[in-house]
Amino acid sequence: MPNEEDALFGAVDALLEQVAQDPLPPPAERKRLREAAGLSQGQIAKALDARRESVGNWETGRSEPRPPKRAAYARLLDGLAARFPAAPNATAPVQDTAVRETSTGVPAPAKARTVSADPAPGAAALPAEENTRPRPAKTAAAASPPVRAVRSSATLRRPGARKAAPANTPAGVDPRFENGPLAVVDVEDGNAVAYCVDGLVLDVPAKSIPALVDWTLKEAKLGQPKLSGPGKDADPLLVLTEAACERYGLPVALTEKERLAGRLPEGHKVIRQLARAEWKLTKRGFGPWARIYRPAHGSQRACVQLCIPSWHALGTRHWGDAGQLPPAELARLLGTYASRVMTPRGSTAVTGLELMTALHPPTRASEPDANGVRHSEHNPGSLGKDPVDPAPCEAPDGHPVLNELNLPRFHVRGPAEKLFEEAYDWARPLTDAECMRRNLVGIDVNMAFAAGANGTVVGLGAPTRLKNPVFDPKLPGSWLVDLSHVDLSRVKSGKEWVDLEGELLPNPFTPKGEQPQGPAWYATPTVAYAVELGYEVRPVEAWVRYDNGRYLDAWYNRLRDAYITTMADLGVPADASPEEFLTAMDGYRQRDPELAIVVAAIKATVKGGLGKLRERPRGEGWKPGEAWRALSRPTWRPDIRAAVISRTRINMHRKILKHAAFTGQYPVAILSDCAVYAVDGESPLDFLPYREGKPLPGGFKLGVNPGLVKWEGTQSVLWGEGVREQFNAPELNLARYIKDGTVTDKDNGE
């Protein structure tokens, strides 16, 4: 009997050891103590049998140690605090991370505490050894009522994010979504847990996918507030690890057939479970990005999105190795992207398009009618809720609007029938003088297409056809006009005419930089640039949009701020001098690889979102002349994409022209937003005309902001000529390889 009792007591003591945890000092104090002792993160990690990255996260507050490492870590910090006490009169708040039992037997977070080097007035002084232990702070926070117990279905593992009433919610945090926009669901010790942003970890009681969806909507407090007044709140996102997939009856990887279909088969047991629980899936089914919902009742939504990295939801092209990160780090990465851009809705391209709609919802609530009832009405400045057909010249091949033209079978439309507004892919042979230079230096425009979207006036409604119109640069649309007479050897710069070596410049009106031959369709920014260069234009025909506006400005601002903020976190500030900027950009990705992935995802969101404006058929048995799924979206707008690309290409050419007129230097290759020059130096500072730190007005400027440029790479002139000779291509576009100099046969179609 005594032995049995001792065994029971031992089991209880072990359980209490997991629940009654020692308090830890705040993250900054943990780092101070380690550095005061001259210890490295690696030494502490080795002693605790932990990862060095974990120790770093504990010292920044990204995550908290968990049993059994927590007790050992607390003991270490207590010992260091006794040897290296804080400076006199220094007061620092400390989170008491102990989890206490409530009267209901449910763990709840303890109150916040502070550490003070001096006793409070009127209090007896403690012995020096005890004075380093945490004591209750006499602050307003300590006097506040205790936090209510956390329900077992959403147990708080890390303190700091309260689970209580809105009065205790930090300023600016929506109490409905106080646990953040998303969570990464994993399995630990046989139990499901959800890693949220800021190191918060919740216990997940759900045993099936339907139960997981219910828990997410009712208790997890996940989601994101709407980005625009008449918009909708973002649905919570759950990211399932491989262990979570196994727990909830999902395959860790899709079969080849399922991968090609992009979803699980309709008869899969999880899909049957959802159907029995009256949950629905969107048309794309249960794939890498699955949306599970019930029809909305009024404004009340019931929808949860799943992201499954092991099904290639986070493609390596734009998300790097994000899918391989530990749950806490993946939650931090995706949470940063969500807070600065929006909660991912699929690929970066899908999210980029959804961001446009989130910032400009198609409808809004009307003013109350005579009976006090509000109705849904068009939201001014948006694209509306109904799709519009493009002009025939704007439609890609196979679009249904082309059926009315009765074109011959296999007819290939030329520039006079089809709008060709694409990014630059141009190169030329080096001159004799350029061959005498030492290096080829590439500069790349930051967020070039985002900068091109900023301020661009685009059509919001259907186009109107005009015959022999007078060109209006303020009217967005497509114009059939002959620009072959524009001579780049003599152009207007401001109010003065400038003589240039036109044969060394790309033509601004064609993606390949070739001189146009006769009339062709152009977007408004392209035709306006011909006028800016000092030449008359006489359109033959046009499709214009009188309902227009700067639809993409808010989209640009959101993505610009996300990019600049994240780059600043990586040590690249927006106000750096040219020299400081180049130094800061050197190796910035290694400073925080996770944030570097966020930067790449932000840039992919820009390009992908614009690409989605003219999404082509994706299989599904489509035949030319038939409509495809993307055409049902009001955001299927090839004219908007064309206007942004046109303006981006013109922005690049305008800078090239200014640079050539001032310095006499001409690019040897341009690929989209990258330009290559032959120079004697190795840095952009060796050929960009800075005077007393000020750049050439209207020319290239080094900096992190969208539209400014960064160093792309430097290779020798001998390398460039050798590559062209190797592939027998005198006009091989060297801008494609300038970054690291690597050229493969595959790149050149071999």
Side-chain angles (χ1 to χ4, degrees), residues 43-44 46 78 95 137 225 243 328 336 350 371 385 444 448 496 519 525 627 635 691 727:
Q43 288 175 294
I44 294 180
K46 184 177 181 180
D78 284 346
Q95 298 282 0
T336 302
V350 170
N371 298 321
K385 63 179 182 179
D444 181 81
E496 299 180 354
T635 49
R691 287 186 174 180
F727 293 102

Side-chain angles (χ1 to χ4, degrees), residues 64-414:
E64 291 290 326
R66 303 177 63 191
K69 294 180 177 63
R70 182 187 182 84
Y73 188 48
R75 182 170 183 174
L76 170 65
L77 295 177
D78 284 346
L80 294 178
R83 297 188 184 187
F84 307 99
N89 301 322
T91 301
V94 60
Q95 298 282 0
D96 185 348
T97 53
V99 177
R100 54 184 170 81
E101 285 289 320
T102 66
S103 59
T104 60
V106 179
K111 299 178 184 177
R113 297 179 180 270
T114 61
V115 174
S116 177
D118 296 329
L126 295 174
E129 184 173 333
E130 296 181 6
N131 202 32
T132 61
R133 301 289 296 174
R135 294 184 286 106
K138 294 188 176 183
T139 62
S144 61
V147 179
R148 68 174 173 83
V150 183
R151 288 173 291 191
S152 60
S153 59
T155 303
L156 184 63
R157 294 289 191 85
R158 178 189 182 274
R162 293 183 174 89
K163 297 286 290 179
N168 292 329
T169 302
V173 176
D174 191 320
R176 298 172 300 159
F177 312 126
E178 60 184 273
N179 291 336
L182 54 87
V184 179
V185 181
D186 194 25
V187 177
E188 295 183 0
D189 301 325
N191 299 315
V193 292
Y195 287 84
C196 307
V197 297
D198 297 328
L200 181 69
V201 183
L202 307 176
D203 282 332
V204 182
K207 304 296 185 183
S208 65
I209 290 293
L212 181 63
V213 174
D214 276 324
W215 172 83
T216 303
L217 293 172
K218 295 177 181 178
E219 303 183 44
K221 293 192 175 183
L222 296 172
Q224 191 175 36
K226 57 189 177 183
L227 298 179
S228 176
K232 299 176 181 177
D233 297 326
D235 300 318
L237 171 66
L238 296 180
V239 184
L240 304 184
T241 65
E242 294 185 6
C245 287
E246 292 179 341
R247 177 181 179 85
Y248 292 113
L250 296 170
V252 171
L254 297 177
T255 65
E256 182 67 15
K257 182 178 180 181
E258 292 167 347
R259 186 186 64 79
L260 293 175
R263 64 183 72 190
L264 292 178
E266 292 298 322
H268 193 277
K269 64 177 182 180
V270 171
I271 297 179
R272 295 200 304 268
Q273 290 173 359
L274 290 169
R276 286 195 297 269
E278 298 182 347
W279 288 105
K280 297 180 180 294
L281 292 164
T282 56
K283 290 183 179 179
R284 60 183 173 183
F286 204 120
W289 292 91
R291 298 189 66 80
I292 303 171
Y293 73 99
R294 284 183 180 137
H297 296 284
S299 61
Q300 195 70 25
R301 290 173 59 82
C303 182
V304 173
Q305 179 164 286
L306 302 183
C307 167
I308 307 178
S310 62
W311 295 7
H312 305 292
L314 302 174
T316 56
R317 181 180 178 186
H318 300 140
W319 289 104
D321 61 353
Q324 308 300 319
L325 291 175
E329 296 176 25
L330 180 56
R332 178 211 174 206
L333 187 156
L334 293 177
T336 302
Y337 178 88
S339 65
R340 295 177 181 179
V341 180
M342 70 178 297
T343 304
R345 297 287 303 272
S347 66
T348 50
V350 170
T351 303
L353 195 69
E354 292 288 343
L355 181 61
M356 297 180 194
T357 303
L359 294 168
H360 285 288
T363 59
R364 68 177 183 182
S366 68
E367 294 296 325
D369 59 18
N371 298 321
V373 179
R374 297 180 183 269
H375 303 277
S376 177
E377 66 177 14
H378 173 70
N379 182 29
S382 75
L383 298 181
K385 63 179 182 179
D386 298 318
V388 296
D389 283 335
C393 62
E394 298 165 348
D397 294 336
H399 193 283
V401 300
L402 301 179
N403 295 341
E404 301 176 3
L405 302 181
N406 295 318
L407 297 174
R409 191 178 183 185
F410 305 121
H411 175 72
V412 178
R413 293 184 294 161

Side-chain angles (χ1 to χ4, degrees), residues 423-427 506-507 510-514:
Y424 265 133
D425 186 357
W426 168 86
N507 192 282
T510 60
K512 291 292 184 180
E514 302 167 343

Side-chain angles (χ1 to χ4, degrees), residues 389-740:
D389 283 335
C393 62
E394 298 165 348
D397 294 336
H399 193 283
V401 300
L402 301 179
N403 295 341
E404 301 176 3
L405 302 181
N406 295 318
L407 297 174
R409 191 178 183 185
F410 305 121
H411 175 72
V412 178
R413 293 184 294 161
E417 300 171 289
K418 181 179 178 181
L419 182 67
F420 286 94
E421 291 287 7
E422 299 296 340
Y424 265 133
D425 186 357
W426 168 86
R428 63 170 176 81
L430 273 65
T431 65
D432 291 343
E434 289 168 340
C435 287
M436 300 301 294
R437 304 287 186 185
R438 285 192 299 147
N439 294 314
L440 299 171
V441 179
I443 52 176
D444 181 81
V445 180
N446 295 315
M447 301 268 284
F449 292 100
N454 182 33
T456 300
V457 178
V458 301
L460 301 178
T464 300
R465 186 180 186 184
L466 302 176
K467 284 288 189 179
N468 298 313
V470 176
F471 176 68
D472 184 352
K474 297 181 180 180
L475 197 57
S478 302
W479 308 79
L480 181 61
V481 58
D482 189 352
L483 300 180
S484 60
H485 63 289
V486 177
D487 184 5
L488 295 181
S489 63
R490 183 169 176 76
V491 298
K492 206 169 185 179
S493 179
K495 296 182 179 180
E496 299 180 354
W497 286 88
V498 179
D499 293 326
L500 300 168
E501 297 184 51
E503 69 278 4
L504 300 182
L505 287 167
N507 192 282
F509 310 127
T510 60
K512 291 292 184 180
E514 302 167 343
Q515 186 80 4
Q517 304 294 322
W521 286 100
Y522 303 101
T524 297
T526 302
V527 184
Y529 188 56
V531 176
E532 179 184 326
L533 294 178
Y535 291 87
E536 183 182 10
V537 296
R538 294 181 180 179
V540 178
E541 185 180 352
W543 289 89
V544 299
R545 290 171 170 83
Y546 293 105
D547 180 14
N548 55 66
R550 294 169 61 158
Y551 173 72
L552 294 174
D553 276 11
W555 184 79
Y556 161 78
N557 290 333
R558 179 83 176 174
L559 291 164
R560 175 204 60 195
D561 292 347
Y563 177 74
I564 292 177
T565 301
T566 310
M567 289 298 290
D569 290 343
L570 285 165
V572 187
D575 57 354
S577 68
E579 295 80 6
E580 292 171 341
F581 170 70
L582 290 176
T583 300
M585 286 293 291
D586 186 18
Y588 77 92
R589 292 184 180 88
Q590 283 69 48
R591 293 175 198 145
D592 191 327
E594 294 171 19
L595 286 184
I597 293 175
V598 174
V599 168
I602 292 171
K603 293 194 288 187
T605 302
V606 173
K607 290 187 177 181
L610 293 172
K612 277 282 184 179
L613 292 170
R614 201 187 73 149
E615 184 178 359
R616 301 289 287 130
R618 305 179 66 180
E620 302 175 345
W622 174 80
K623 296 180 180 179
E626 298 177 347
W628 57 92
R629 182 183 300 180
L631 301 188
S632 62
R633 297 193 318 250
T635 49
W636 193 86
R637 292 295 301 273
D639 58 296
I640 295 179
R641 173 187 176 274
V644 172
I645 292 178
S646 165
R647 194 158 185 261
T648 303
R649 192 181 67 248
I650 294 306
N651 285 346
M652 171 68 88
H653 195 275
R654 186 181 289 113
K655 289 181 172 64
I656 289 170
L657 214 61
K658 292 281 186 180
H659 185 85
F662 188 81
T663 67
Q665 297 172 330
Y666 296 82
V668 300
I670 305 174
L671 182 67
S672 185
D673 46 11
C674 175
V676 177
Y677 285 84
V679 297
D680 284 325
E682 298 181 352
S683 162
L685 287 175
D686 294 323
F687 73 96
L688 294 184
Y690 275 87
R691 287 186 174 180
E692 298 179 356
K694 295 182 180 180
L696 173 68
F700 295 111
K701 177 182 178 181
L702 289 166
V704 74
N705 285 281
L708 306 188
V709 300
K710 63 180 182 293
W711 176 61
E712 181 69 3
T714 297
Q715 305 295 330
S716 69
V717 169
L718 291 177
W719 164 86
E721 291 299 275
V723 168
R724 286 179 165 178
E725 183 177 348
Q726 176 185 353
F727 293 102
N728 193 26
E731 296 183 1
L732 180 71
N733 196 330
L734 299 175
R736 181 173 281 109
Y737 318 107
I738 195 69
K739 190 166 188 175
D740 59 10

